[in-house]
């Protein structure tokens, strides 16, 4: 039985003409985003909750200092760094235009230096495990900014990991396990003549984790622990490849590419090679896998198969 208690009413749903409210299970203590402490800012909207959830789920994938910038539940920039400030600057560099009106997430406490860097960008909300006092002072100057503190629970095992993922359809629900699969380096299968270098393998795994959180069809370009271009939600995979290139603000030379599902044709491989991609990670499993592998070999690229896919609808 699914029994819910209304926690709060919301101003409206995805659009102003839709009613909305926030509910929580009556039988379980609050955990996750619903129990985050809001330091300041306007009340959270329906869309804020969706974006914050996407942002926190992605950010929680990484142990190194990491920043994700989310727009309409998709990352428009994500990066690792020596600290939160460097991670933010690298994430923002991916697509600073799309970052306007975004959600910014960190897996480290936000300090004053990082908050100062964020002053020039209009964002809807920032979420992190905590905030230094000087960061809160800086954010206080932006009264409408929602500052969400995940607190001590951010360092504990995710209790929501035991929960199912629910999606509503007319007359019922679809229920599935949450996609919590974490790919390990030793699970990758090299299928081309050239094997990935250590740096390429590290970037491929990083790109793969980002790709898991992008709406299908998903393509992600990465170099040095930094997203360079993100192609999300296209009906054709090759269009996602092209869109990611169009969105890119930085050079794509010697980068890697992640695809959330297999390539049905070699056209996307050829397109990627023309932009500077040197390594590709994808699930494999197409009846035309050999064509994709042949194309990668022709371009002297390396390609690894994961054996699993990460569709996100």
């Amino acid at each position: 039985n699914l029994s819910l208690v209304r926690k709060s009413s919301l101003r409206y749903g995805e659009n102003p003409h839709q009613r909305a409210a926030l509910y929580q299970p009556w039988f379980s203590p609050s955990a996750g985003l619903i129990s985050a402490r809001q330091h300041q800012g306007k009340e959270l909207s329906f869309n804020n909750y969706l974006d914050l959830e996407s942002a926190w789920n992605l950010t929680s994938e990484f142990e190194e200092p990491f920043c994700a910038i989310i727009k309409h539940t998709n990352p428009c920039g994500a990066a690792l760094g020596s600290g939160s400030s460097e991670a933010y600057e690298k994430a923002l560099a991916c697509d600073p235009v799309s970052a306007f009106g975004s959600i910014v997430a960190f897996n480290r406490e936000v300090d004053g230096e990082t908050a100062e860097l964020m002053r020039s960008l209009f964002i809807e909300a920032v979420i992190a495990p905590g905030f230094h006092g000087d960061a809160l002072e800086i954010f206080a100057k932006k009264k409408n900014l929602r500052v969400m503190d995940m607190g001590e629970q951010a360092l504990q095992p995710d209790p929501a990991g035991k929960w199912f993922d629910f999606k509503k359809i007319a007359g019922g629900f679809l229920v599935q396990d949450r996609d919590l699969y974490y790919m390990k380096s030793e699970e990758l299968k090299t299928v081309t003549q050239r094997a990935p270098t250590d740096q390429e393998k590290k970037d491929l795994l990083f790109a793969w984790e980002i790709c898991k959180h992008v709406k299908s069809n998903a393509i992600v370009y990465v170099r040095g622990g930094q997203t360079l271009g993100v192609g999300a939600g296209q009906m054709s995979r090759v269009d996602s490849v092209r869109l990611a290139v169009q969105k890119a603000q930085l050079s794509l030379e010697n980068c890697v590419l992640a695809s959330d599902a297999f390539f049905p044709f070699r056209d996307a491989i050829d397109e990627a090679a023309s932009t500077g991609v040197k390594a590709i990670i994808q699930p494999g499993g197409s009846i035309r896998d050999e064509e994709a592998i042949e194309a990668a070999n022709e371009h002297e690229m390396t390609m690894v198969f994961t054996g699993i896919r990460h569709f996100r609808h």
Side-chain angles (χ1 to χ4, degrees):
N1 294 322
L2 183 62
S3 300
L4 305 175
V5 176
R6 187 169 67 181
K7 183 177 175 68
S8 64
S9 295
L10 302 177
R11 290 176 60 197
Y12 51 79
E14 287 183 289
N15 300 289
H17 62 277
Q18 296 171 265
R19 294 188 302 161
L22 175 67
Y23 287 80
Q24 68 181 76
W26 71 270
F27 56 84
S28 177
S30 296
L33 176 60
I34 200 170
S35 62
R37 176 187 178 187
Q38 183 170 353
H39 286 284
Q40 66 167 65
K42 297 188 295 185
E43 293 182 0
L44 292 175
S45 70
F46 187 95
N47 292 336
N48 288 155
Y49 276 110
L50 293 178
D51 286 334
L52 283 164
E53 179 75 359
S54 295
W56 186 250
N57 286 341
L58 171 54
T59 302
S60 299
E61 296 271 13
F62 299 94
E63 295 182 357
E64 298 176 65
F66 175 83
C67 174
I69 302 176
I70 302 294
K71 195 73 173 288
H72 302 306
T73 75
N74 283 306
C76 59
L80 299 169
S82 58
S84 293
S85 59
E86 183 185 19
Y88 170 74
E89 289 184 304
K90 290 172 65 177
L92 181 62
C94 176
D95 189 355
V97 174
S98 296
F100 181 87
S102 62
I103 302 290
V104 181
F106 299 90
N107 65 353
R108 294 288 193 279
E109 287 189 337
V110 176
D111 56 20
E113 178 186 359
T114 307
E116 187 65 36
L117 290 172
M118 298 170 65
R119 286 186 63 177
S120 61
L121 177 67
F122 167 67
I123 60 176
E124 291 281 350
V126 55
I127 185 170
F131 298 86
H132 293 185
D134 50 353
L136 291 175
E137 289 180 11
I138 293 170
F139 286 145
K141 299 174 183 177
K142 305 175 74 169
K143 295 183 179 180
N144 290 331
L145 173 65
R146 303 160 175 93
V147 177
M148 306 302 298
D149 190 335
M150 292 297 288
E152 293 182 0
Q153 65 171 318
L155 304 177
Q156 300 171 356
D158 179 14
K162 301 177 182 178
W163 285 63
F164 293 112
D165 180 28
F166 292 84
K167 295 187 185 297
K168 180 74 172 64
I169 62 171
F173 290 87
L174 293 170
V175 184
Q176 65 175 353
D177 291 328
R178 294 178 64 206
D179 186 1
L180 301 175
Y181 193 94
Y182 182 79
M183 179 63 56
K184 299 177 182 178
S185 177
E186 57 268 24
E187 296 178 276
L188 299 179
K189 178 184 178 182
T190 301
V191 295
T192 47
Q193 295 170 1
R194 184 174 78 81
T197 65
D198 290 343
Q199 182 59 51
E200 285 174 338
K201 184 175 288 188
K202 185 176 181 180
D203 277 344
L204 287 168
L205 288 169
F206 175 79
W208 184 246
E209 288 304 312
I210 301 298
C211 201
K212 184 169 83 171
H213 295 267
V214 178
K215 290 288 184 70
S216 301
N217 286 319
I219 296 291
V220 177
Y221 289 76
V222 161
R223 185 181 57 243
Q226 175 186 27
T227 56
L228 305 175
V230 179
Q234 301 305 298
M235 289 67 75
S236 166
R237 190 156 299 276
V238 69
D239 283 345
S240 288
V241 171
R242 292 167 178 155
L243 177 61
V245 173
Q246 293 170 10
K247 300 288 289 181
Q249 302 294 306
L250 304 170
S251 168
L252 299 178
E253 195 64 28
N254 297 319
C255 71
V256 309
L257 178 152
S259 173
D260 66 339
F262 63 64
F263 293 99
F265 305 99
R266 65 169 288 166
D267 53 358
I269 309 297
D270 295 327
E271 191 80 25
S274 69
T275 63
V277 172
K278 296 300 182 184
I280 292 177
I281 185 169
Q282 59 134 320
S286 169
I287 60 173
R288 296 186 179 87
D289 273 348
E290 288 304 318
E291 291 182 20
I293 295 170
E294 181 182 358
N297 283 328
E298 288 176 11
H299 296 298
E300 298 182 346
M301 303 164 71
T302 182
M303 181 183 291
V304 298
F305 284 1
T306 65
I308 65 165
R309 75 178 188 200
H310 281 310
F311 272 165
R312 181 168 176 253
H313 286 74

